[in-house]
Amino acid sequence: MKKLLTCPFCGSKPRLIERKCDKAKYGVGCSNIECILFLPPDVRKRELHNYVMCYVDKSVLIEAWNRRDYA
C-alpha cells in the first residue's frame, strides 16, 4: 500500500482516521492546527464527514490525497 504524502497546503504530516461502523470508513486531513485541512485528533468519528471527504476504500483515499484530488 502506498504512503500518504504530506499536506499539499502546508507540508505537515497527514492524519488518517478510520471509523468501523460507517460505509465510508476513512478520512484524511492535516495534523497542523493552522492549516485549512486541519483534522482534530479528537474528532467524533460519526462527524468525520463534516471535516473531510470520507472514502470506502483506503487505497482510493490514498491515491486521491497523493494526487491532490480529494476535494
Side-chain angles (χ1 to χ4, degrees):
M1 183 158 301
K2 293 185 177 183
K3 181 180 172 185
L4 286 169
L5 297 177
T6 58
C7 175
F9 291 99
C10 71
S12 295
K13 184 177 177 182
R15 176 171 289 132
L16 177 68
I17 293 184
E18 178 181 357
R19 53 188 184 179
K20 298 187 186 301
C21 61
D22 291 304
K23 185 175 181 179
K25 295 182 178 191
Y26 303 98
V28 66
C30 184
S31 60
N32 179 357
I33 195 168
E34 295 179 4
C35 183
I36 63 169
L37 291 179
F38 176 63
L39 180 58
D42 60 346
V43 65
R44 291 183 179 199
K45 291 184 179 181
R46 69 175 179 244
E47 297 174 1
L48 184 60
H49 61 279
N50 292 331
Y51 290 87
V52 296
M53 294 292 291
C54 294
Y55 292 82
V56 174
D57 189 336
K58 188 176 182 180
S59 63
V60 173
L61 174 142
I62 292 172
E63 285 179 27
W65 175 267
N66 287 350
R67 73 174 177 262
R68 304 341 196 187
D69 187 26
Y70 49 85

